Structures are given as C-alpha cells and as structure tokens.
Amino acid sequence: MARTLIAGGYLATVDALGTEHPDGHLLIEDGRIAAVGAGPAPAELAAGAEVIDARGCLVTPGLVNTHHHLYQWLTRGLAQDAILFDWLVALYPLWSRIDADLVGRGAAAGLAVLARSGCTTVADHHYVFPRGSGDHVGALVEAAALVGLRLHASRGSMDLGASDGGLPPDFAVEPTDAALEASAEAVRRYHDPSADARVRIVIAPCSPFSVTTTLLRESAALARELGVRLHTHGSETLEEAAYCAERFAMGPTDYLESVGWLADDVWTAHGVHLDARDIARYAASGTGVAHCPSSNARLAAGIAPLRALLDSDVPVGLGVDGAASNESGRLAPEIRQAVLMARLRDGAGALGTRQALRIATMGGARVLGRQDELGSMEPGKLADLAIWRVDGVEHAGLPDPVAALGLAETPPLERLLVGGRTVVEHGELVKADSRRLAADAASASLELAARA
Ligand SMILES: [Zn+2]
C-alpha cells in the first residue's frame, strides 16, 4: 500500500468546523486521506511512509475551478477593451476555425497554468465545434491526463445563429439534433461516475443568447436521463438581461426556471446580476454559481453578490473563466480577487479569507456534485492537496498563512497532489514538460490566427 506522510505544515482542512492545525500531519494511503491531526504523526502511522516535509508551508485542499474555456488559451489578449457581447462577436470567427488538435494544445497549456496555481480539478466549458474538426472532448481528456488534473469536461453547444436572432454568426453554430447527439456520445465515451473519477462529462448549452429554448429543454432531459450535470452561463451582463427581456419577456433566472434549469444538478457561470428574488430561487432549488471575479472585471460585467449568495447558502465555487477574458489563467489569485471585489461591492468584511478559501475548495466541490470526495482534508476523501510555501520573503513574518493566500501575493506552490500523486513539485510540472507545452501553445495560437 502506497503511504505518504505530510509533516510539519500549517493545515487548513476546510472541514465543516474550519479546523486548522498550525503544526499538523496528514497521512495518505492509496490516493486517499487516511488521517489528519495536530502535531507529529503517531509512530505507527508514520512507519514506512514516504515523508513530505511541509515545514514553512500552508497545506490546503486542492483548488477546484468551476468555470473555464480551455481552448481560449489560444486567443488571449484580443478585444482588450470590449464588453462581453462585442468581445464575443470579435472572437467567434477565430474560434469557429478551431479543431481538436488546436484545442488539445491550448488546453494543455491552460491546464499547466492551473496546476501551477494550486488547482486539482477543472470544469471546462467547450462550446465551439466546427463540423468535421475532430474529437474536441477527447483532446481535452487527453490534455488533462497529460498534466495530471481531474477534468469535468462540459460538452457545450450553440444552435442559435444570428439569422434566428442569436448573437453568434450562423457559421459558428450546430444543428440542434447534432449538438444533442454529440453530447450523448461524449457522455457514453468519457463519463466516469465512480467516486475517484478523473473525468466526468457535463452537458452545457452555452448561454440564453446563443442556444434555442428547445436545446435547453432537451439538454436538461438528456442530462437527467444519463445522470450527468448541467452547466451554462447566466446573469453575466446587463446586455444579457436586456436580451432575455426583449426575446422572452422575462429575466435570465425566470427563463432558466421556465426550461427546467433551476435544480441541484445545475450550476451557472457568473451570477453577477442576480437580485434578491433570483438568489432565493437559486437557494431553494440548490442551483450553483461559478464566481469568476477577474473575468467579470476584465469585461466590466459587474461584481457578483457573493455575500448575499453565501448568506442564502447558494452553492458557490470559484472560476478562472476562459483565458481570453482572464489572461492570467491562474486560479489561486482568484481567491484574493474574490475577497477584494466582495468588499468593494458590499463593504468591509463582506468576504473573509477563510470564506474565500472555502469557496475555492469545498464550494467548488459542492458545485460539481463532489462534496463527498473532494474539497476538504478529511479521512476518506481523495488526496487532492496543495502545499504552499509561506516562509519566503513575500510571506515570512505574516502570522496567518491563510491570509498569505487570501490577501498577499499568491505563495509559491511547493507541491500539488492529485489522488496522492505529485503533479507539481517546486512550482514545476512533474508529468509534463511546461516548456514544450508553451511552445505547442504558441505555435497553435499562430496556426489559429493564420486561419482567420
Ligand atoms: Zn464563460
């Protein structure tokens, strides 16, 4: 039996009580957490284990990214000053020339950056599928295996082109039936329902302004038949609200409710413009939210009502969003970003560093339906862990290591473990060569640009 002991670190377990051990130990057996406690490990636990010296480090659960578009790694830095709708219109032509090979190369780079920022589980939302362009979901699954992260790959879709009143150009959308059939095929081929799954599939029509009502309804029925979760964008911008008012004579939350999309197997990205009535319905139905503060700032979408969402016990996770609207692509800095933006919106103390860490870990696990397996450091859970060095010049003397993560510069990542296996060590990927991934992504970006 493979046994690893993490010894001497500051453990922030993110269990229900928020237990922290300033000088603790954590034992991993066969990919799962076997014991967590204060002080040195009892001799019988430590016997025969490989020891990871975590002195000078903060140990947290691995971070969970609940919203991303990994292919966008290839289209960063474009439409730099645009709001969402103008940004989308500028980028659709480029995105609609993508293929599975380019998706895989962009995704591998995006995943590498996520891993190096403490992320162990990634929910990707992929919704651009040019006809005959290969197996995009397969390319994403392969890239996640290469880097070593868990993937919840959304088979997204768009079927409402501009000629039918949608935002995307007609050439960027799929026929409704083709999108549904491909979604079912992705589930059949790649979805793993087991507790320690590395890959799960999600069905994810893109947004109210890019998919038909039929596709939303049918996707919900299909996902429930197949036992997978649902994801989409919701209440991101005022323009989206105006679109829904004009086309459906209701707001985005009413619209989602009308098509069976407020439920505990659904999470939406953003939730920036949710009012008190919307929040109450998210809470009552158990619908989750992926909070993406940097992307919301980049596109000037607004600041999501985090305090109100948490007060209502809406499941909330943290998201990077696609790198075309968050060129950083790093997850850990979103913890600090969430703290700062919640306070700009709702005042001092609107979000504490420990609450933000909880959103980034347990919150994300709950949003993805994996709260029993991921998100906290408790015996029986999967050993997905991030070990942050907090004794360097940026953090030494800062007495609260959780504040080092939530208020200070993101600490260097000493080690990242997924299922007990090391994925990052001393800030560098272990399984893949990040220089090679960088070169692949750079050439893929150029290839895509040349196709436009
Ligand atoms: Zn998004």
Side-chain angles (χ1 to χ4, degrees), residues 98-406:
I98 205 158
D99 61 27
D101 171 54
L102 296 184
V103 167
R105 286 150 72 189
L111 287 157
V113 170
L114 285 168
R116 286 164 51 158
S117 63
C119 174
T120 48
T121 297
V122 186
D124 187 62
H125 187 184
H126 191 76
Y127 54 82
V128 186
F129 295 90
R131 199 174 347 165
S133 61
D135 181 5
H136 293 216
V137 176
L140 289 160
V141 167
E142 212 170 285
L146 176 71
V147 175
L149 301 189
R150 293 185 204 279
L151 176 70
H152 285 223
S154 295
R155 205 302 177 177
S157 46
M158 299 194 293
D159 71 337
L160 186 66
S163 65
D164 293 320
L167 188 70
D170 289 356
F171 59 76
V173 306
E174 295 176 281
T176 308
D177 287 349
L180 288 165
E181 178 42 44
S183 301
E185 175 60 19
V187 175
R188 279 193 291 269
R189 198 180 289 186
Y190 297 112
H191 183 69
D192 177 1
S194 68
D196 60 352
R198 293 260 171 179
V199 177
R200 291 211 178 149
I201 300 296
V202 176
I203 296 179
C206 188
S207 63
F209 50 84
S210 62
V211 306
T212 61
T213 303
T214 303
L215 183 55
L216 279 169
R217 282 188 199 284
E218 300 278 315
S219 293
L222 179 64
R224 285 161 188 154
E225 181 193 323
L226 297 175
V228 299
R229 292 177 89 75
L230 287 159
H231 181 47
T232 191
H233 293 90
S235 297
E236 181 175 4
T237 65
L238 293 173
E239 291 75 19
E240 175 198 329
Y243 179 94
C244 289
E246 192 186 327
R247 189 172 171 97
F248 311 117
M250 59 180 110
T253 301
D254 295 295
Y255 179 53
L256 288 177
E257 187 170 49
S258 75
V259 291
W261 270 72
L262 289 191
D264 62 5
D265 56 359
V266 178
W267 85 101
T268 68
H270 302 300
V272 171
H273 297 284
L274 296 172
D275 64 18
R277 188 171 151 270
D278 297 329
I279 291 170
R281 283 179 302 155
Y282 267 67
S285 59
T287 309
V289 171
H291 176 46
C292 307
S294 288
S295 171
N296 296 152
R298 157 72 152 92
L299 296 171
I303 304 175
L306 251 279
R307 189 64 262 153
L309 288 165
L310 296 177
D311 286 346
S312 301
D313 198 30
V314 172
V316 178
L318 211 51
V320 165
D321 205 357
S325 65
N326 176 4
E327 277 78 356
S328 150
R330 285 164 57 79
L331 184 54
E334 298 299 317
I335 296 174
R336 179 172 183 267
Q337 189 78 343
V339 167
L340 299 180
M341 283 175 58
R343 293 173 184 198
L344 277 179
R345 181 191 159 106
D346 289 325
L351 188 68
T353 56
R354 283 169 173 77
Q355 290 169 311
L357 175 61
R358 181 171 293 277
I359 292 169
T361 52
M362 264 316 284
R366 189 176 166 207
V367 160
L368 300 184
R370 301 196 71 174
Q371 62 273 17
D372 295 335
E373 302 136 33
L374 301 172
S376 64
M377 303 193 305
E378 298 176 82
K381 285 206 161 180
L382 295 167
D384 289 12
L385 308 167
I387 304 178
W388 311 89
R389 184 149 287 290
V390 291
D391 59 358
V393 71
E394 291 85 357
H395 307 96
L398 200 167
D400 178 1
V402 178
L405 192 57

Side-chain angles (χ1 to χ4, degrees), residues 397-417:
L398 200 167
D400 178 1
V402 178
L405 192 57
L407 292 176
E409 172 70 18
T410 298
L413 188 64
E414 181 67 22
R415 201 185 273 253
L416 188 76
L417 298 129

